[in-house]
Amino acid sequence: MTAAWDLPDFDDHEGVHLFRDRASGLTAVIAIHSTTLGAGAGGTRFWHYADRTDAITDALRLSRGMSYKNAMAGLPMGGAKGVILADAAKTKTPAMLEAFGRAVDSLGGRYVTAEDVGISETDMITISKGTRHVSGLPVAAGDAGGDPGPFTAYGIYLGVKAAVGHAVGKSDMAGVHVAIQGVGSVGGGLARYLAKDGAKLTLADVNSDRAKALAAELGGEAVEAEAIIGVEADVFSPNALGAILNEYSIPLLKTGIVAGGANNQLATPADAARLHGRGILYAPDYVINAGGIINVALEYLGQGDRDEVNGRIEMIPDRLRAIWTESAASGRPAADVADAMAQKLIGRG
């Protein structure tokens, strides 16, 4: 296996930690990208990888994205990510989650974990039995914390509206066609926000029944998962897994805007230029999807309530507009502009 230092996505990470607990069956990796601004914060992903090296690559990419996300959101947190390697059946047990909690705890507070793909609020309770360095736990009404998904969806909704306003000067979403890829907690929440505003929706999900049910509920249309990227729409919103935008998919886009919540949407750095070259307005993923981490970070830090969380999320559109303005002035892709801003904030500019 290639050493972690030699993987393309190794970016001077402070630590890449591999864990194995034979008793519970846990196999996991935690990547800490930067703790310049504070403890590395980022969710834990539970996923099956055909090649275990892909799990390390995922952790490297996601942890770097968390460094950028937390910095751009103005949070006193660094960037890190956990990945639990699932078997083909995605077997998950309390013993496995508790063992992961102990793995987190062994890092002495350098990593604060929360929910990500495949991990629920209930799972976080189990993980917390092994460590106090956890967020996204159930909280009282009005407090910061709990399931980050709805907060992520809210921020993306605001970002999509900002993108439409910036690109076409339209102040509302009535009649705006949005093609949403992935309608789980985040994409589904986004769809509901947009439906209330009178947007036209086309939905797709690897679980086609879920997409069809939500489309029927909201008066939208459902298409097969592989077809969504080629739908002619005002906005393409990727809200599933990453690396969806690449040299093959970008030419298929029939939209002027890409704005969604999936992490690491660009398969390679060159794909930023491909989008920019086509004149597509891009909302950098770690800027638009910061709502969830804002919520759980403020929970962990004990800073503010639900109103404070929402107030900070409502700053996302201004950050996006600053990136787009600089992109237009400099001629650089929006993703490159955002990266430069984030790198400067974490002392790597």
Side-chain angles (χ1 to χ4, degrees):
M1 184 180 78
T2 303
W5 300 280
D6 297 325
L7 292 172
D9 289 290
F10 184 82
D11 180 44
D12 284 335
H13 283 69
E14 294 178 10
V16 182
H17 305 271
L18 307 182
F19 296 93
R20 175 66 181 162
D21 182 74
R22 291 184 62 188
S24 67
L26 173 75
T27 302
V29 55
I30 295 173
I32 300 175
H33 180 256
S34 170
T35 58
T36 298
L37 298 180
T44 294
R45 177 163 295 191
F46 181 84
W47 195 252
H48 173 64
Y49 298 86
D51 183 337
R52 291 186 174 190
T53 303
D54 291 341
I56 299 175
T57 294
D58 223 7
L60 292 173
R61 296 194 75 194
L62 291 165
S63 59
R64 179 181 59 219
M66 291 308 305
S67 284
Y68 292 1
K69 182 184 301 190
N70 294 334
M72 292 292 278
L75 296 170
M77 306 291 285
K81 204 75 174 186
V83 173
I84 298 175
L85 284 73
D87 60 19
K90 294 189 176 179
T91 305
K92 186 198 303 176
T93 67
M96 183 186 299
L97 295 173
E98 287 185 41
F100 182 75
R102 293 192 296 272
V104 171
D105 207 60
S106 73
L107 298 176
R110 295 184 68 234
Y111 172 48
V112 179
T113 192
E115 292 176 50
D116 198 343
V117 175
I119 294 290
S120 68
E121 193 173 38
T122 301
D123 293 333
M124 297 312 303
I125 296 173
T126 305
I127 291 171
S128 73
K129 293 179 181 179
T131 184
R132 65 182 179 85
H133 303 296
V134 60
S135 195
L137 299 171
V139 293
D143 289 348
D147 181 4
F151 298 92
T152 304
Y154 180 50
I156 295 163
Y157 161 69
L158 296 177
V160 168
K161 288 181 64 178
V164 170
H166 187 86
V168 300
K170 187 173 171 58
S171 61
D172 63 78
M173 294 299 294
V176 176
H177 187 183
V178 183
I180 301 178
Q181 180 189 52
V183 292
S185 173
V186 173
L190 171 65
R192 288 187 169 89
Y193 277 119
L194 293 171
K196 288 181 181 178
D197 283 357
K200 177 183 177 182
L201 300 176
T202 301
L203 311 177
D205 195 280
V206 290
N207 182 340
S208 59
D209 289 340
R210 178 163 63 182
K212 290 174 183 176
L214 187 60
E217 174 191 336
L218 301 180
E221 178 186 1
V223 299
E224 293 302 316
E226 62 272 14
I228 190 70
I229 202 162
V231 169
E232 187 170 354
D234 298 299
V235 182
F236 171 62
S237 184
N239 294 281
L241 294 179
I244 187 63
L245 300 171
N246 55 49
E247 61 180 312
Y248 306 108
S249 64
I250 290 172
L252 301 177
L253 289 170
K254 298 177 182 177
T255 181
I257 299 168
V258 172
N263 287 310
N264 297 326
Q265 294 168 24
L266 302 175
T268 71
D271 296 311
R274 291 188 177 99
L275 279 176
H276 188 70
R278 287 203 55 198
I280 295 173
L281 184 71
Y282 177 59
D285 46 48
Y286 56 80
V287 179
I288 193 174
N289 69 10
I293 193 63
I294 290 171
N295 175 53
V296 297
L298 293 188
E299 172 197 348
Y300 183 77
L301 296 167
Q303 296 179 358
D305 56 13
R306 189 68 55 90
D307 289 339
E308 175 69 17
V309 170
N310 286 335
R312 294 198 185 200
I313 292 172
E314 287 159 6
M315 297 169 68
I316 288 174
D318 284 341
R319 293 192 180 100
L320 289 170
R321 283 188 281 264
I323 291 165
W324 294 328
T325 298
E326 173 62 23
S327 174
S330 66
R332 299 166 63 202
D336 293 351
V337 170
D339 284 356
M341 290 179 174
Q343 288 161 3
K344 185 176 181 179
L345 289 170
I346 65 172
R348 299 191 183 188

